[in-house]
Amino acid sequence: KQEVTQIPAALSVPEGENLVLNCSFTDSAIYNLQWFRQDPGKGLTSLLLIQSSQREQTSGRLNASLDKSSGRSTLYIAASQPGDSATYLCAVKGGSNYKLTFGKGTLLTVNP
Amino acid sequence: GAGVSQSPRYKVAKRGQDVALRCDPISGHVSLFWYQQALGQGPEFLTYFQNEAQLDKSGLPSDRFFAERPEGSVSTLKIQRTQQEDSAVYLCASSLGRGTSNQPQHFGDGTRLSIL
């Protein structure tokens, strides 16, 4: 059974810092990995999707990497802003099924 | 519509009542998913539809949970004889391709269900 772990559970940084969120998964036979953002009381906003054949994806200040063989992904946020404050969730799609398996998320607070 | 729409946004019910939660996916999206998110946890998969066919319902917690998508667009998640442990946020997601495609899943804002 696929298990996804996110470290740290919570992170507080001053505005302007670069930061890294970590995600690990137990079964490397994945189809893709997706990073989401969730604001309080809201649904999930897709940030980046990395296919299993890819090593990284970039969107603006966000960069996500994938090392499938070691079961790890990182989300790098450059020059953090207070508006980046949210919970960040990592999810993997297994190679033979439809569903996403999520971690519990990292609660990020960026202080002005 | 522009995004996935869920209604109601909040639902309070007494234990033992039946509830129905609605999801309007993005127009033209083939795949539709339901997830359950407990407080402080990541979402957990409930069920998957490809058009009107329910291809995977392995995540439904019990036979009190039932989902349908009769015309391949709007979906309803029904919970019968609700229990307190059913309290959670229920998220709906849709994607353009079939479930095994590399298309991202787009989520609605969810329905927050509270059972008293």
Side-chain angles (χ1 to χ4, degrees):
Chain A
K1 178 186 172 184
Q2 179 73 270
E3 293 185 2
V4 179
T5 303
Q6 291 188 245
I7 294 173
L11 180 64
S12 181
V13 300
E15 182 177 3
E17 267 201 14
N18 303 325
L19 58 99
V20 175
L21 307 181
N22 296 290
C23 172
S24 62
F25 45 95
T26 54
D27 185 351
S28 61
I30 65 169
Y31 206 82
N32 60 46
L33 183 144
Q34 207 166 346
W35 281 94
F36 293 89
R37 168 187 173 135
Q38 187 171 34
D39 293 286
K42 295 289 189 179
L44 281 63
T45 300
S46 180
L47 298 173
L48 291 164
L49 182 150
I50 311 177
Q51 298 180 26
S52 61
S53 59
Q54 297 175 324
R55 298 282 297 189
E56 65 178 331
Q57 282 285 340
T58 298
S59 176
R61 294 183 293 109
L62 305 180
N63 176 276
S65 68
L66 174 64
D67 184 342
K68 198 175 72 163
S69 61
S70 68
R72 296 180 187 276
S73 176
T74 61
L75 179 66
Y76 174 82
I77 302 177
S80 58
Q81 302 171 357
D84 295 331
S85 298
T87 296
Y88 290 80
L89 291 154
C90 164
V92 298
K93 179 184 283 189
S96 59
N97 58 39
Y98 320 99
K99 65 184 179 182
L100 293 176
T101 301
F102 285 84
K104 292 184 178 180
T106 294
L107 176 60
L108 173 65
T109 303
V110 181
N111 301 299
Chain B
V4 178
S5 178
Q6 292 187 246
S7 61
R9 288 280 285 120
Y10 303 92
K11 177 69 178 177
V12 179
K14 292 183 179 179
R15 187 166 61 91
Q17 288 183 330
D18 298 348
V19 298
L21 313 180
R22 177 186 169 104
C23 173
D24 278 276
I26 295 172
S27 179
H29 277 199
V30 168
S31 296
L32 186 145
F33 305 83
W34 284 98
Y35 292 84
Q36 180 190 58
Q37 186 176 24
L39 190 63
Q41 304 293 314
E44 294 201 357
F45 171 82
L46 294 177
T47 188
Y48 162 61
F49 289 86
Q50 182 178 311
N51 295 308
E52 70 279 2
Q54 188 175 22
L55 298 186
D56 187 344
K57 53 182 181 179
S58 63
L60 295 177
S62 75
D63 59 7
R64 296 185 296 104
F65 286 71
F66 172 76
E68 60 183 3
R69 193 186 184 197
E71 297 179 358
S73 55
V74 171
S75 176
T76 303
L77 176 66
K78 298 179 180 178
I79 309 174
Q80 298 177 324
R81 304 181 304 281
T82 52
Q83 303 293 317
Q84 284 190 325
E85 61 263 28
D86 300 335
S87 296
V89 175
Y90 291 85
L91 295 166
C92 176
S94 69
S95 68
L96 182 60
R98 294 182 301 171
T100 52
S101 76
N102 264 317
Q103 301 282 349
Q105 294 185 20
H106 301 272
F107 283 76
D109 283 344
T111 293
R112 183 175 299 275
L113 176 63
S114 297
I115 304 300
L116 306 179

